[in-house]
Amino acid sequence: MGPHPAVAAIRLAVRRVLHDVLTEFHRHADLDRPADAARRPAHAARPRFAEAGAAGRSVLPDRPALPDRPDTPLVLVACSGGADSMALASALAFEARKLAVRAGGITVDHNLQPGSALRAAEVVTRLTAMDLDPVEAVAVHVGRGGGPEAAARDARYAALDAAAERHGAAAVLLGHTRDDQAETVLLGLARGSGIRSLSGMAAASGPAGRYRRPFLHLDRQTARKACLVQSLPVWDDPHNIDPAYTRSRLRHEGLPALEKALGKGVVEALARTAQLSRDDADALDTWAAEAELSVRDETGRLECAKLYVLPPAVRRRVLRRALIEAGAPAGSLFARHLEEVDRLITGWRGQRAINLPGRVEAMRQGGRLVIRQS
């Protein structure tokens, strides 16, 4: 008899991501090989995988290793000890044994609750018991910029980036589910954000697609059920039910109210909206990148007349790219900033320079949009 459907679902999701990671890893390995190795037949150049050894792990036959590169990619799982990430860790441990993948785990101690260090140590113990290696806990200091949730997220990703670099990881798996995606879309909608924000979380993001989210098409209950049937202990973070946090209120009050008013299927519809919005946003970003080349003069300055005739969605993307290139932090640029700069193009009445985050200013001079850091 096969595994429980919930377990089968999480394993299949992880298996697909690991196959993607392996494909990319070997493609990069081929590009990194010396020219003489590249001229060898493909069957001689690519690593061959033997049958699983006695311990159940894939074993590589003896062969010269690629220069400064392990024979197999390392994939880390970011694990808080909650149901989503524990289910993800268990699926990674299972699938890695059948593939040429090394699997490890990282847990981040945010130091925001009493006993957090002890809980982080417990997560390390559980991940180690799954035969993940390396496994470590990383303590971080959470600042206050952008609010408690944003500050914790920034600290967490900084720690995960550092861990990935330190261990040379090819990917870091995150346990975000379809429910998390729906919440992200609603938060973006409530902020009045643009289509990029409504596109939610990408299946792959970060430097070179480092972060992978295998569970974006699975609901939270599937992950919790997988933990239950595998007798995996999970920790329920009290912050997830604390009404002081916006996402917690949305999860326990907002979404249930929407489902009561609109019927079941709201989460699935919001997740589908995220994917459709992402496709549209990607297309507009590509259009803007191409359009940017045609709206600059011979000195590289943006010409207001040429910007004016662009569709607003494309024009504002061009402006945003220019502001970021000038030094404005991407995370601090909001819709109101872009609207003010856009009015220099569409509603010019002799306005003064506009001050923007990152000590960047935008002004109109001689039919050109001048963006510079003061």
Side-chain angles (χ1 to χ4, degrees):
M1 190 173 74
H4 187 279
V7 176
I10 64 170
R11 288 177 179 175
L12 176 60
V14 169
R15 188 183 315 144
R16 287 171 172 167
V17 168
L18 293 184
H19 278 299
D20 290 343
V21 171
L22 277 167
T23 298
E24 294 166 15
F25 179 83
H26 292 311
R27 182 167 61 245
H28 294 156
D30 287 346
L31 293 174
D32 290 345
R33 282 185 294 121
D36 61 337
R39 288 192 293 269
R40 285 182 289 175
H43 69 273
R46 285 190 176 276
R48 304 186 309 279
F49 302 114
E51 295 298 323
R57 295 184 182 278
S58 296
V59 179
L60 285 169
D62 292 335
R63 68 177 186 83
L66 292 167
D68 300 321
R69 182 186 291 270
D71 289 331
T72 54
L74 171 64
V75 176
L76 299 175
V77 57
C79 185
S80 66
D84 301 341
S85 59
M86 284 297 293
L88 182 58
S90 71
L92 173 61
F94 180 84
E95 294 296 332
R97 296 187 187 104
K98 303 189 297 180
L99 298 170
V101 174
R102 293 177 295 133
I106 302 293
T107 186
V108 178
D109 175 12
H110 297 83
N111 284 303
L112 294 176
Q113 302 173 35
S116 62
L118 177 60
R119 280 189 292 274
E122 291 173 350
V123 173
V124 167
T125 299
R126 292 169 188 169
L127 296 181
T128 302
M130 294 179 184
D131 291 333
L132 299 184
D133 181 35
V135 173
E136 68 176 7
V138 180
V140 299
H141 171 73
V142 177
R144 298 183 179 180
E149 293 168 286
R153 182 176 59 250
D154 290 345
R156 179 167 60 255
Y157 277 101
L160 293 175
D161 277 334
E165 294 292 340
R166 185 165 59 252
H167 294 290
V172 178
L173 305 189
L174 304 176
H176 296 122
T177 64
R178 186 171 60 192
D179 301 77
D180 297 308
Q181 185 75 299
E183 292 163 8
T184 301
V185 172
L186 279 178
L187 288 170
L189 186 63
R191 288 192 296 263
S193 302
I195 193 172
R196 176 57 70 187
S197 182
L198 297 183
S199 65
M201 296 174 286
S205 64
R210 167 180 293 161
Y211 294 108
R212 309 296 177 106
R213 298 176 175 86
F215 290 175
L216 285 183
H217 298 292
L218 300 176
D219 62 31
R220 192 173 287 140
Q221 285 305 313
T222 297
R224 185 168 287 275
K225 186 65 174 179
C227 290
L228 178 64
V229 298
Q230 294 178 101
S231 300
L232 294 175
V234 299
W235 173 64
D236 290 316
D237 187 346
H239 283 175
N240 290 335
I241 57 173
D242 188 344
Y245 295 94
T246 304
R247 187 177 286 269
S248 175
R249 294 195 302 274
L250 179 60
R251 180 175 301 177
H252 298 288
E253 300 174 22
L255 270 172
L258 279 175
E259 290 200 331
K260 182 178 180 179
L262 303 176
K264 295 293 184 181
V266 170
V267 168
E268 292 86 345
L270 288 169
R272 187 164 58 251
T273 296
Q275 184 56 58
L276 293 172
S277 297
R278 181 165 297 279
D279 292 342
D280 290 349
D282 288 345
L284 287 168
D285 286 346
T286 300
W287 186 355
E290 295 171 351
E292 185 176 0
L293 301 176
S294 66
V295 296
R296 293 184 180 273
D297 63 17
E298 61 278 1
T299 65
R301 293 185 299 173
L302 293 167
E303 297 188 62
C304 296
K306 292 181 178 179
L307 284 167
Y308 183 84
V309 299
L310 291 176
V314 177
R315 181 174 61 246
R316 290 178 183 178
R317 278 170 165 76
V318 172
L319 296 177
R320 188 174 189 275
R321 287 165 58 96
L323 294 172
I324 293 172
E325 288 175 2
S332 299
L333 277 177
F334 302 124
R336 66 178 186 273
H337 297 130
L338 293 177
E339 289 169 0
E340 291 178 10
V341 177
D342 196 40
R343 276 195 287 271
L344 295 176
I345 309 298
T346 62
W348 174 241
R349 301 184 305 277
Q351 298 99 309
R352 294 182 178 179
I354 297 171
N355 295 318
L356 299 157
R359 296 185 296 104
V360 171
E361 62 178 14
M363 67 188 75
R364 179 165 173 158
Q365 291 181 344
R368 304 292 190 272
L369 186 66
V370 179
I371 300 174
R372 64 191 181 195
Q373 198 167 40
S374 59

